Amino acid sequence: MADHTRLWLWKSKKFRHRAVQVVCTLIALVGAVIILIPVVWMFSTSLKTRFNVSSLPPDFIPRESQKVEVNGKSLFLYDVTIDGETRTLAAVKLDPERGEFVDPDTGEVFYAPASAARKHRIVIAHWENYREAWTFQTTPFAVFMKNTMIYATVSMFGELLSCSLVAYGFARLRAPGKNVLFMALLATMMLPWAVIMIPSYVLFTKYIPDFLNKLFSSNIKLADTWWPLMVPKFFGSAYLIFLIRQFYMSINKEYDDAARIDGCGFFQTWWRIIIPMSQPALTAVAILSFTWWWNEYMGPLIYLSSTHKLPLSVGLANFQEAYGGTPWHLMMAASLIAVAPLIVIFFALNRYFIQGVVVSGIKG
C-alpha cells in the first residue's frame, strides 16, 4: 500500500510541479547566498579597523580584542573557563599548561591552561570609515560622485535617444540592404575595446581637433575633457539597438497603419505611438546603460588627467594610491558609497527592468 501511494505521488503532475519548484527555489537560494557573500564581506570590512581586516579565520562581524591597564601594563582580555565558570580576565602569561590571568577589577590571580582561554572580543562598528573616505583631501569623492552622475546620465539619455531611433528604423521601416546593415551592426559587438582604444584616442585627441581648428581657426583641445567620452554615446550601441529592436518587432504593425491614416509620419509614429508603448524595454535599456557608464573605468582613465574631472571608478584607484597601499576598510567604505546609487536605482525600477528584459528576449 505504501509503495502504491509513493508511486501515485510520483505520477501526480501537481506533485512533480511542486517538487520542481522546491528544487529550483533551493538552487536559487544557494546561488543568492554565494553571490551575496562578497557583498557581506565588503560591508563588514568597511566597518573594521585596518588591523582587523585580514584576520584569520575571516570574521564577518566587526569585532575587536580589548586591552586593559593592570599594574602599568597593557594586557589583552580573555574569556577564561575556570571550574566550569567563564570569567573575563587579563592575560599576564599564556602557557599551554598553566597560564596566568588576573581579574582587572579585583586584582585576583587565576591559573588555567591556554586551551581554556579565548580572546575577549566585542562588536565595534567604525561608521567613521565612511566619513573619512568621503572627506579625504586628495580624493574629493563629492566631486567624483557629481562627475559620475553627470556622465552616466548624459550617456544614458544619448544612448536611449539614438538607440531607440535606430532600432525603430531596423524594426519598422523597409529599405534595401537593411538586414545586411543590421548584421554589420551586430558584427561590431565582436570587436573588443582593446582594438578600438588607440584609434579612438588618436581620432579624438588629434584628427578631430585639427580638423575643427582649421575649419573655425580656433584652438580646440579634446584631451582631458568629457567630450570624447560623451559624444560617441549619441551614435548608439549595437547591443542596446538589438534589445530595443526585438521589442519593437513585438508591437503589432497595425498601430503604424492607424497612425499613418491619421496623418502621422515615421518620426511622429515613433515618438507618439512606439515610444509610449515601449516603456518597459526603454526602462531596462536605461538601467543597463546607466549602470555600464557609471562603472566605466578605461575611457575616463585614458582621456582624463585632472583630478577634479575624474569619475568614481578612477577616483577609487587614486584613493588607493593616496594611502600608499590598500587600506581595505576605507576602500570598501568608498566602494559601497560608489555602488549605493546603483543599488537604489535597481530596487526602485526592478519590476520594469525584469519586465523589459523578459519581453525583449521572448517576443523578439
Side-chain angles (χ1 to χ4, degrees):
M1 185 66 180
D3 294 339
H4 178 73
T5 303
R6 284 196 295 267
L7 182 62
W8 178 82
L9 284 175
W10 280 111
K11 288 184 177 181
S12 172
K13 184 176 180 180
K14 183 177 181 181
F15 176 81
R16 292 200 306 270
H17 179 69
R18 183 62 58 86
V20 170
Q21 283 185 328
V22 171
V23 172
C24 292
T25 302
L26 290 176
I27 293 175
L29 181 62
V30 172
V33 171
I34 294 174
I35 292 174
L36 287 175
I37 286 176
V39 180
V40 175
W41 181 86
M42 180 190 299
F43 179 69
S44 171
T45 303
S46 69
L47 298 177
K48 296 179 180 179
T49 65
R50 185 168 190 169
F51 305 102
N52 294 334
V53 169
S54 56
S55 59
L56 291 175
D59 193 353
F60 284 95
I61 301 175
R63 291 182 290 192
E64 298 180 19
S65 301
Q66 298 296 299
K67 282 186 174 183
V68 293
E69 292 287 336
V70 178
N71 298 327
K73 295 182 180 179
S74 181
L75 304 176
F76 279 104
L77 286 176
Y78 279 77
D79 293 324
V80 187
T81 303
I82 302 175
D83 298 330
E85 182 181 357
T86 301
R87 303 170 181 265
T88 302
L89 307 174
V92 179
K93 182 180 68 172
L94 288 176
D95 188 84
E97 297 181 357
R98 194 170 186 269
E100 183 180 348
F101 303 89
V102 61
D103 191 323
D105 296 326
T106 64
E108 185 178 358
V109 178
F110 297 87
Y111 297 94
S115 58
R118 185 179 58 185
K119 268 193 175 181
H120 178 75
R121 298 195 298 169
I122 62 174
V123 177
I124 299 179
H126 293 273
W127 297 101
E128 66 273 10
N129 289 343
Y130 289 90
R131 184 178 67 253
E132 183 176 352
W134 180 263
T135 59
F136 194 70
Q137 294 181 355
T138 60
T139 54
F141 264 79
V143 177
F144 295 161
M145 182 72 76
K146 181 193 70 175
N147 294 340
T148 306
M149 185 65 70
I150 294 174
Y151 175 48
T153 303
V154 173
S155 299
M156 178 194 68
F157 278 110
E159 285 194 330
L160 205 60
L161 178 64
S162 59
C163 292
S164 59
L165 184 58
V166 173
Y168 176 73
F170 280 120
R172 317 297 278 192
L173 304 184
R174 296 179 181 178
K178 182 182 71 172
N179 293 332
V180 176
L181 288 175
F182 185 67
M183 294 303 296
L185 174 69
L186 295 183
T188 61
M189 296 171 59
M190 307 294 289
L191 293 175
W193 165 250
V195 173
I196 62 175
M197 179 174 59
I198 296 178
S200 299
Y201 180 81
V202 174
L203 178 68
F204 279 101
T205 58
K206 178 174 173 55
Y207 292 109
I208 292 180
D210 289 348
F211 173 76
L212 295 176
N213 291 334
K214 290 180 181 179
L215 184 63
F216 299 106
S217 300
S218 58
N219 187 26
I220 298 175
K221 293 183 180 180
L222 298 181
D224 195 26
T225 68
W226 283 96
W227 292 109
L229 296 168
M230 290 184 177
V231 170
K233 309 305 184 293
F234 288 84
F235 291 88
S237 164
Y239 176 67
L240 299 183
I241 290 173
F242 170 76
L243 281 183
I244 300 176
R245 173 186 176 272
Q246 297 301 100
F247 187 88
Y248 284 172
M249 292 181 67
S250 69
I251 300 176
N252 198 319
K253 289 189 177 181
E254 292 181 357
Y255 291 105
D256 298 38
D257 298 334
R260 195 176 301 112
I261 292 174
D262 290 339
C264 293
F266 289 117
F267 182 81
Q268 289 178 314
T269 302
W270 166 70
W271 183 254
R272 295 184 178 182
I273 306 298
I274 302 299
I275 289 295
M277 298 178 65
S278 306
Q279 288 185 2
L282 296 180
T283 302
V285 167
I287 295 174
L288 289 173
S289 177
F290 187 87
T291 303
W292 179 265
W293 301 121
W294 181 278
N295 294 323
E296 189 191 15
Y297 177 76
M298 287 301 298
L301 178 66
I302 293 172
Y303 288 104
L304 302 176
S305 56
S306 301
T307 301
H308 66 280
K309 295 181 181 179
L310 297 178
L312 283 169
S313 55
V314 183
L316 282 174
N318 290 356
F319 176 81
Q320 180 177 353
E321 294 174 0
Y323 276 87
T326 306
W328 289 110
H329 59 307
L330 299 181
M331 186 66 118
M332 294 303 103
S335 299
L336 280 174
I337 293 174
V339 302
L342 298 182
I343 296 174
V344 173
I345 290 173
F346 178 78
F347 280 104
L349 303 176
N350 180 45
R351 178 168 62 91
Y352 302 100
F353 175 74
I354 295 176
Q355 181 183 1
V357 172
V358 170
V359 173
S360 299
I362 293 179
K363 288 191 177 180

